[in-house]
Amino acid sequence: MGMGAFLLLYSVLIAVFAPSLLIRLTRRGNAPRLGVAAWTTAIASALASWVAGAALLAVELSHAIPASGAGIVGSCLRWLRGLAGDGVAVGVQIGLLASASAAAAVVGWRLVRGLITMRRRTHAHARDARLVARRVRGVDALVLDAGERAAYCVPGRPNVIIVTSSALEALGAHELDAVLAHERAHLNGHHPQLVAVLRVLAETLPRVALFSAGAAEVSRLLEMCADDAATRIHGRSALLAGLIALAGSGPAPAEAMGATSVAVLDRAGRLAAPLPAPDRGRARARLAAASVLLALVPALMAAAGVMWCPPVVL
């Protein structure tokens, strides 16, 4: 079995076993930014291993088939002779290459189509919000008259932060500033775009736990990242009070990231009782090691495969 097949096997192992490990490492939100890095590294590692494995299989097959003859007939003869001489190995490689290539094409097409659709929806939502919402002096957001208490952001041209009139009535000045800082952190960090990519990927491959769990966990961790950004400016108590005031108001629109749409209880507990610095340090060390390992193993395997492959003789 060549390195290409090993890379495809590695991508399967990451997809199967990485989610449970990463959930254990990130469930308490001790280091949310590194948690996001670990999840996205695992997802990128699995996809890159998939693509690199298919590419290396193609190169390995070009050497497995005897190089004689020319044209279409010669290629067919070389392929048949390869099957006759080492039928099992070459047959397995051909099957793996065909499966990986077909799956990559389908996933790539669905991912591009889903992202285009998602982008169209978010931009339309932002445009509609600018038309129906209003400006209020002293509020660094658009105010939408609605009975539900909500605050959320929508990427667009330009980006939009929405706060409902009911939320304005429920929030004090410091709480409102903290909640709006939370939403600005989402936009400044391009969190909605990352979440959109992961959600479309999860919808494309819903049975793959790495993608479905990854989309949910990264969304939760990004909310914690935005919480941390807001608390650095306005303090924990103001943001915690703001989350409590807005809790139970229902989910934000599908195209948006809302302040109280994801893991409100986990985030409230984290804000109310932050872990000691040594615990956070240990969590950072574990997540950093996991990210490095997830990125390094496929890179080394791909490099070894390229080095071991003899040059193609034309």
Side-chain angles (χ1 to χ4, degrees), residues 64-85:
I65 299 175
S68 63
I72 297 177
V73 175
S75 298
C76 292
L77 290 174
R78 290 197 300 274
W79 181 72
L80 290 172
R81 277 202 298 272
L83 290 180

Side-chain angles (χ1 to χ4, degrees), residues 243-313:
L243 294 180
I244 293 172
L246 298 181
S249 58
E255 301 84 7
M257 292 189 72
T260 56
S261 296
V262 177
V264 178
L265 290 178
D266 290 346
R267 292 160 53 206
R270 181 173 175 269
L271 290 170
L275 287 178
D279 291 341
R280 295 197 299 271
R282 283 191 290 270
R284 292 189 184 99
R286 294 190 191 104
L287 288 169
S291 298
V292 170
L293 187 63
L294 287 167
L296 196 59
V297 170
L300 291 176
M301 292 174 69
V306 172
M307 291 175 63
W308 291 345
C309 281
V312 177
V313 179

Side-chain angles (χ1 to χ4, degrees), residues 2-309:
M3 195 60 68
F6 277 116
L7 276 169
L8 291 178
L9 177 61
Y10 175 80
S11 70
V12 173
L13 293 176
I14 289 295
V16 172
F17 294 108
S20 59
L21 172 64
L22 292 177
I23 286 174
R24 286 198 299 271
L25 290 176
T26 62
R27 62 187 172 187
R28 301 185 69 177
N30 296 334
R33 292 179 65 182
L34 283 173
V36 171
W39 274 103
T40 53
T41 300
I43 292 170
S45 178
L47 294 175
S49 298
W50 189 357
V51 174
L56 283 176
L57 274 176
V59 174
E60 291 163 4
L61 277 172
S62 70
H63 297 290
I65 299 175
S68 63
I72 297 177
V73 175
S75 298
C76 292
L77 290 174
R78 290 197 300 274
W79 181 72
L80 290 172
R81 277 202 298 272
L83 290 180
D86 192 10
V88 175
V90 175
V92 169
Q93 285 182 315
I94 291 175
L96 287 173
L97 177 60
S99 301
S101 300
V106 171
V107 170
W109 165 247
R110 290 180 178 177
L111 184 61
V112 170
R113 184 180 62 182
L115 289 175
I116 291 173
T117 301
M118 182 70 74
R119 184 175 183 273
R120 187 184 302 120
R121 289 176 179 172
T122 56
H123 284 214
H125 189 105
R127 183 178 62 250
D128 293 343
R130 290 194 297 272
L131 292 175
V132 300
R134 55 190 171 87
R135 288 285 183 185
V136 172
R137 178 176 294 182
V139 178
D140 189 19
L142 294 178
V143 178
L144 182 66
D145 292 322
E148 289 192 342
R149 303 182 306 276
Y152 58 89
C153 62
V154 184
R157 292 185 175 176
N159 300 325
V160 172
I161 297 176
I162 298 292
V163 60
T164 63
S165 54
S166 295
L168 278 183
E169 296 173 359
L171 294 171
H174 294 302
E175 298 162 2
L176 176 63
D177 290 340
V179 168
L180 295 182
H182 172 100
E183 299 305 328
R184 280 193 295 275
H186 278 318
L187 295 174
N188 293 337
H190 304 287
H191 296 173
Q193 290 84 348
L194 176 57
V195 169
V197 171
L198 296 179
R199 284 178 178 172
V200 171
L201 191 57
E203 292 170 1
T204 302
L205 295 168
R207 296 179 182 272
V208 180
L210 177 63
F211 303 140
S212 56
E217 288 299 307
V218 169
S219 295
R220 185 177 69 91
L221 292 167
L222 287 175
E223 291 296 336
M224 295 179 181
C225 290
D227 287 345
D228 289 347
T231 56
R232 282 194 292 270
I233 303 171
H234 300 284
R236 294 179 181 272
S237 59
L239 180 61
L240 179 59
L243 294 180
I244 293 172
L246 298 181
S249 58
E255 301 84 7
M257 292 189 72
T260 56
S261 296
V262 177
V264 178
L265 290 178
D266 290 346
R267 292 160 53 206
R270 181 173 175 269
L271 290 170
L275 287 178
D279 291 341
R280 295 197 299 271
R282 283 191 290 270
R284 292 189 184 99
R286 294 190 191 104
L287 288 169
S291 298
V292 170
L293 187 63
L294 287 167
L296 196 59
V297 170
L300 291 176
M301 292 174 69
V306 172
M307 291 175 63
W308 291 345
C309 281

